[in-house]
Amino acid sequence: MDKFTGDYKAEERKMLAGEDHYGSDPYLVELRRQSRCKLKVLEETRDDPEKYTEAVRNTLGTVVDDKVIIESPVHLDYGCNIHVGKCFYMNVMCVILDSARVDIGDNVMFGPGVQIYTAEHSTDPEKRLSGVESARPVRIGNNVWVGGNSVILPGVTIGDNVTIGAGSVVPKDVPSNVVVVGNPARIVKHV
């Protein structure tokens, strides 16, 4: 990119490595702008299967098959850090802040308003005000249903065959074969 000089990807590398970085870095701001443009194309091509499939592949980092549905509007910080398996469905109003990698397995469905955060900000006010942030990856296994308005926090891994009840806040790892609900999410059933 002509408008960037020097090591313009340094902050991106730090971000993806989980190190402290500046989200206001010009290159990261540009990547987020590009993501918004890709999301606009995604929304505009929703009724044309061929163009829509191409738009999904251009928006996300990895797409395993053509059975990915993203209902607009949604917000993805970067998009390219999101990797989805087979048969992924995202309902409207979802937000993924993908400053770190987000891996989503096969046969995963998100209800409306699901939010996944990888970005973190310091609890130290001075450090937070400096603009420094960090990020931790989120991993979601196979055959997972995430109920509407649920929030998955940075660094969380969700196992296979999990149901997350609507409105849950998931601050820690969830094992396979369970149903979790609440704030904080807790196991209410083994399946």
Side-chain angles (χ1 to χ4, degrees), residues 116-120 134-138 152-157 170-172:
I116 298 176
Y117 306 149
T118 65
E120 295 185 296
S134 61
R136 291 188 291 151
V138 169
I152 300 170
L153 297 178
V156 167
T157 295
V170 185
K172 61 183 182 177

Side-chain angles (χ1 to χ4, degrees), residues 78-172:
Y78 299 95
C80 59
N81 299 322
I82 302 168
H83 306 274
V84 301
K86 299 175 186 172
C87 298
F88 173 61
Y89 178 79
M90 180 189 298
N91 212 324
V92 298
M93 304 303 290
C94 290
V95 173
I96 302 180
L97 304 182
D98 59 319
S99 297
R101 187 177 174 107
V102 176
D103 288 302
I104 300 170
D106 297 341
N107 305 306
V108 174
M109 296 185 294
F110 289 177
V114 167
Q115 299 175 52
I116 298 176
Y117 306 149
T118 65
E120 295 185 296
H121 302 277
S122 177
T123 56
D124 176 288
E126 194 171 307
K127 186 174 181 181
R128 186 174 57 246
L129 290 172
S130 76
V132 170
E133 56 188 70
S134 61
R136 291 188 291 151
V138 169
R139 293 175 185 87
I140 299 173
N142 298 320
N143 308 314
V144 174
W145 168 249
V146 183
N149 293 311
S150 293
V151 178
I152 300 170
L153 297 178
V156 167
T157 295
I158 296 169
D160 295 336
N161 308 310
V162 169
T163 299
I164 299 172
S168 296
V169 176
V170 185
K172 61 183 182 177

Side-chain angles (χ1 to χ4, degrees), residues 41-58:
V41 171
L42 190 72
E43 187 169 351
E44 291 169 351
T45 61
R46 182 65 179 94
D47 295 324
D48 182 331
E50 192 173 303
K51 289 180 180 177
Y52 179 75
T53 298
E54 182 181 342
V56 168
R57 290 187 182 283
N58 287 335

